[in-house]
Amino acid sequence: MFNLYFLSAYTKLTKSFSLSTNNQLIKSPYPNVRDFTSHVEQCTTLKDVYDAVKKHSQLGHCMIKGKLNFDLNNEPRKGATTGTDLTNFLVLDLDDAPWETHEAFMASFPELKEVSYFVQHSSSYGFSSKKGLSCHIFVMLDDYVNATLIKPWLMHLNLDFPVARAGITLSNATTSLHWPIDLTTCQNDKLIFIAPPVLGKGVVSRVKDSDRMAYIVRKQPAVNSYELMKHRTEKLKSEAVKIINDLREAAALPAMSKTTKWVGTDEVQVKPGIMDITGIRVGNEYTHLNLNGGDSWGYYHTADNFELIRNFKGELNLETKEINPAYYKECLEKHKADEARKAQEEQEEKEELPIANEDGDILLAFRDLPTDKYFNGTWNEEAHELIIHKAGDVQKLRDFIAHHGGRDFGEHVPIWKMHFTPTSNVVYDPENKTLNTFVPSKYLRAEYKAPKGKLGATWPTIYKVMRSAICGPVIDVADPEVEALFEHFLNWVAVVCQYRVKTNAAWILSGIEGTGKSMIVDHVLARILGRKYALTKPAASLEDNFNAWIPTALLVLIEEIDIKSSAKSRNIIDNLKYLITNSTGDVRAMHVDAAQTKNHLNFIFTSNRIDPIELTDTDRRYN
């Protein structure tokens, strides 16, 4: 049994086809993806491989040829494979190869003609006007071999059989060969694109997705591994150089130099000649290029090193200044400008950032973008304490900085954005110039460790208080309904504490004095969430027009509620429905106009009455 590895990303890993405004077919290349998530399938036979490839092709995934050293979770795959790992299967990649069918291809080689295989046609199959064969052919090996030993055998298939050799052409770079049977699919880091194409409106393929794969059974279940190890790279490379120069001579190009050089750890072709850059696609990390009219986007350079042009084709690397001096000059000028701008930004950021005093307090002085108000204060990372106050004007900001021995912010007041986001533990973010006024307690910041043993064994007092308030005097009774009720409450509390979001449902706790209803908030949840965010309010506050406490409250305990006896009962009920379920609402402080703001409120109501709130049978806002 062995593992096959597949990768997914934020989008389907395939080519897409669409129609232009004048109904011309537009082919988009494989997406430029950096981050992947891995998936593994266990296989024993070629049929298992076939089933796995078929499954993941329909999901829009790709295969990675080698074994992954670690799982990927939306992250780059750098270092995830080892080139010398053993493999027991092959992927033969044919690109416009000189055969009409996959059966004809397999029959051309003694090592393959009796071997079972499955074929998977390329994304372009059904659109291309080329007559050559483009597909992947999967075969098993009868033993595990070092992946690096397969490449000479692939060169042998291309060079030593007339039909294959006739299909060898110059690459677009004209410094290497385009092999009908790709030499790089044996590499353990190679991506094998298996997903069917994405078709835009009005695009019709000549081939159904269900017809892109076929499973073929022959006499032999696998290729003889010994056949792969009989061929010598040096002899084959010498033959390849001869073909390159023959083809270059036919194209009126000078012969290629046989020598190469090393630039760091990269082998580079010496004197490759001038090439046209006929396509440029700039990404965040890579710039992909087409050379001399090609459309594969197979050549690239990294964002931080434009000196070398690399490729996915197994060809030698090229020096940018050698193949296209004009493009090299553009890159060099852009690099100098980027470096100058980066240095300027770093200097400005350095001047703008507050400094810490002896107590570790970072000084804050800025204009808040959403409110257009000035604020000053301090943030202490070690103590996890934020102190922030309004400042009347710019001079008061300067006075605050000077009083605390800080660096003046210069001509312009720094612009930051204050927000209250309880779902984030990040308070001070100088890179993005944001300040989260929610300061998580030490309990919310701590790494969570699940308690061991029976529920409540780790925190028996808290457990008893909560059971008393929720379940009444039946603390030790193993009643399924009671247990279900208590589990429901604990789950509600867990959502409030762990995620700090609205649950859209409140609790009404009814019982005589001393059952611990208020203790749940005052002595437990207020400590976990922070006392600024877990409030206790009298029932009269529901009749108050001023509710400035709403924007920063996560949990509110309303004590001794008795809406039925209030003259404003209908208004209170309607207002509570709105506050419990709506994420925004009007907030009004004294001497300030009402304003719409986001709320994160969750309510617990307590009462000594059995029916403090008039409820309908269908009202799901209350527990």
Side-chain angles (χ1 to χ4, degrees):
M1 184 174 290
F2 59 95
N3 289 338
L4 281 185
Y5 296 90
F6 298 87
L7 304 179
S8 62
Y10 69 92
T11 186
K12 288 188 175 183
L13 298 170
T14 186
K15 293 179 180 178
S16 59
F17 295 84
S18 60
L19 294 178
S20 67
T21 53
N22 58 352
N23 285 329
Q24 295 295 311
L25 186 67
I26 301 173
K27 179 180 73 172
S28 298
Y30 294 111
N32 183 16
V33 172
R34 186 193 72 167
D35 297 328
F36 296 92
T37 296
S38 59
H39 312 269
V40 64
E41 299 285 348
Q42 290 189 330
C43 300
T44 303
T45 65
L46 179 66
K47 182 61 166 57
D48 295 336
V49 178
Y50 172 80
D51 291 338
V53 170
K54 189 172 184 178
K55 169 186 171 181
H56 287 274
S57 69
Q58 293 168 351
L59 294 173
H61 300 172
C62 72
M63 171 192 279
I64 188 163
K65 178 60 178 65
K67 178 184 72 175
L68 288 182
N69 298 325
F70 49 84
D71 294 336
L72 298 176
N73 184 12
N74 194 31
E75 58 189 304
R77 61 188 179 96
K78 184 177 181 180
T81 54
T82 302
T84 55
D85 276 346
L86 302 181
T87 186
N88 67 331
F89 74 97
L90 299 177
V91 181
L92 303 172
D93 184 10
L94 309 184
D95 183 13
D96 195 27
W99 291 273
E100 291 188 4
T101 65
H102 50 87
E103 293 92 344
F105 167 78
M106 294 294 284
S108 299
F109 306 98
E111 302 101 307
L112 299 175
K113 65 180 181 179
E114 297 296 337
V115 175
S116 296
Y117 67 97
F118 71 88
V119 60
Q120 193 241 2
H121 291 281
S122 69
S123 296
S124 301
Y125 184 60
F127 299 100
S128 177
S129 58
K130 298 178 181 178
K131 295 183 179 180
L133 180 63
S134 295
C135 64
H136 294 134
I137 292 177
F138 294 74
V139 295
M140 299 298 296
L141 300 176
D142 63 4
D143 198 359
Y144 286 84
V145 300
N146 188 311
T148 60
L149 299 177
I150 300 173
K151 192 171 185 177
W153 178 71
L154 295 175
M155 293 180 71
H156 151 71
L157 295 185
N158 281 285
L159 292 170
D160 295 341
F161 293 88
V163 176
R165 184 164 180 144
I168 297 175
T169 60
L170 280 177
S171 69
N172 289 112
T174 70
T175 58
S176 301
L177 297 176
H178 170 76
W179 305 89
I181 309 169
D182 193 291
L183 304 184
T184 64
T185 51
C186 61
Q187 297 169 188
N188 286 331
D189 64 346
K190 188 70 173 180
L191 296 182
I192 310 297
F193 291 98
I194 57 176
V198 174
L199 306 183
K201 184 177 180 180
V203 178
V204 179
S205 172
R206 297 192 303 271
V207 180
K208 297 179 180 179
D209 288 348
S210 58
D211 295 335
R212 290 185 178 276
M213 295 182 66
Y215 186 81
I216 313 296
V217 178
R218 294 286 187 261
K219 293 180 181 179
Q220 295 175 213
V223 175
N224 184 344
S225 301
Y226 175 75
E227 293 295 328
L228 274 63
M229 296 181 278
K230 297 193 307 184
H231 308 282
R232 294 292 170 260
T233 302
E234 186 175 357
K235 173 181 177 297
L236 293 164
K237 278 190 172 181
S238 177
E239 184 68 17
V241 170
K242 181 178 183 304
I243 294 176
I244 289 174
N245 284 327
D246 288 345
L247 292 172
R248 285 177 65 88
E249 182 179 359
L253 296 170
M256 283 293 300
S257 171
K258 294 183 179 180
T259 60
T260 62
K261 67 178 180 179
W262 290 87
V263 177
T265 57
D266 297 294
E267 188 176 12
V268 177
Q269 174 67 53
V270 172
K271 296 181 180 179
I274 301 297
M275 303 177 195
D276 293 327
I277 296 178
T278 53
I280 301 174
R281 193 175 70 185
V282 180
N284 291 331
E285 293 189 63
Y286 300 95
T287 294
H288 291 261
L289 306 171
N290 281 329
L291 300 182
N292 293 333
D295 63 356
S296 67
W297 300 102
Y299 301 92
Y300 70 94
H301 63 76
T302 58
D304 58 354
N305 181 10
F306 58 87
E307 300 284 347
L308 290 184
I309 293 179
R310 298 174 168 84
N311 62 85
F312 302 116
K313 301 168 175 286
E315 302 173 10
L316 287 171
N317 299 304
L318 304 169
E319 285 190 287
T320 309
K321 63 183 178 183
E322 292 284 340
I323 68 163
N324 198 302
Y327 178 72
Y328 177 79
K329 183 180 179 182
E330 289 180 15
C331 291
L332 188 62
E333 291 174 351
K334 182 179 182 301
H335 175 71
K336 290 179 179 178
D338 289 344
E339 288 296 303
R341 188 187 72 254
K342 183 178 178 181
Q344 177 67 22
E345 289 175 351
E346 288 177 352
Q347 181 61 29
E348 290 175 355
E349 184 176 351
K350 183 178 178 181
E351 292 175 355
E352 194 171 287
L353 286 179
I355 62 171
N357 61 20
E358 294 179 356
D359 298 325
D361 294 330
I362 294 175
L363 306 181
L364 305 171
F366 58 89
R367 179 168 70 88
D368 178 41
L369 184 61
T371 62
D372 197 26
K373 304 291 184 183
Y374 297 116
F375 290 87
N376 53 225
T378 58
W379 163 248
N380 191 297
E381 182 71 39
E382 185 175 354
H384 226 72
E385 182 180 37
L386 176 67
I387 300 173
I388 200 77
H389 300 289
K390 280 186 180 180
D393 52 40
V394 176
Q395 186 55 49
K396 290 181 179 178
L397 291 181
R398 297 189 191 279
D399 291 343
F400 174 81
I401 292 291
H403 178 74
H404 289 84
R407 184 190 303 112
D408 190 85
F409 45 73
E411 182 180 356
H412 302 289
V413 178
I415 298 175
W416 281 49
K417 181 179 180 181
M418 280 203 307
H419 59 98
F420 180 78
T421 308
T423 54
S424 171
N425 280 1
V426 177
V427 178
Y428 173 68
D429 184 358
E431 182 176 347
N432 294 304
K433 294 183 175 59
T434 61
L435 191 68
N436 184 3
T437 56
F438 173 75
V439 181
S441 70
K442 64 179 182 180
Y443 301 106
L444 298 182
R445 302 196 309 272
E447 180 182 358
Y448 175 73
K449 295 182 179 179
K452 297 180 180 179
K454 188 177 179 181
L455 182 65
T458 307
W459 31 277
T461 304
I462 295 175
Y463 178 77
K464 289 178 180 179
V465 169
M466 286 191 171
R467 286 283 301 219
S468 175
I470 304 304
C471 305
V474 290
I475 295 176
D476 298 318
V477 177
D479 185 329
E481 291 188 8
V482 172
E483 296 303 322
L485 172 66
F486 192 48
E487 283 285 339
H488 184 51
F489 177 73
L490 289 182
N491 185 60
W492 183 87
V493 168
V495 171
V496 173
C497 291
Q498 293 178 31
Y499 298 103
R500 281 95 75 185
V501 296
K502 290 180 72 67
T503 59
N504 296 329
W507 282 80
I508 305 171
L509 306 185
S510 175
I512 62 173
E513 294 90 343
T515 53
K517 301 186 294 295
S518 298
M519 289 184 70
I520 292 177
V521 174
D522 291 343
H523 293 278
V524 181
L525 299 181
R527 294 193 181 191
I528 295 173
L529 293 170
R531 295 201 177 276
K532 291 181 180 179
Y533 318 119
L535 310 178
T536 299
K537 292 283 183 181
S541 63
L542 297 177
E543 302 181 15
D544 197 341
N545 289 328
F546 304 114
N547 54 6
W549 47 271
I550 285 180
T552 58
L554 302 179
L555 178 64
V556 180
L557 174 70
I558 304 293
E559 291 191 307
E560 302 304 332
I561 190 169
D562 185 8
I563 295 178
K564 287 185 177 182
S565 63
S566 172
K568 300 180 180 179
S569 60
R570 179 44 54 192
N571 289 340
I572 294 174
I573 289 174
D574 291 342
N575 191 36
L576 281 178
K577 287 181 179 179
Y578 186 79
L579 289 175
I580 290 170
T581 57
N582 282 57
S583 58
T584 58
D586 285 337
V587 172
R588 184 177 180 186
M590 293 185 68
H591 312 300
V592 177
D593 291 337
Q596 280 275 314
T597 186
K598 190 170 185 178
N599 84 64
H600 311 80
L601 289 172
N602 294 283
F603 285 98
I604 296 178
F605 304 102
T606 69
S607 177
N608 294 330
R609 290 174 54 93
I610 196 67
D611 57 347
I613 300 177
E614 184 179 344
L615 301 178
T616 63
D617 292 339
T618 58
D619 195 335
R620 292 174 292 178
R621 297 179 181 87
Y622 296 94
N623 297 293

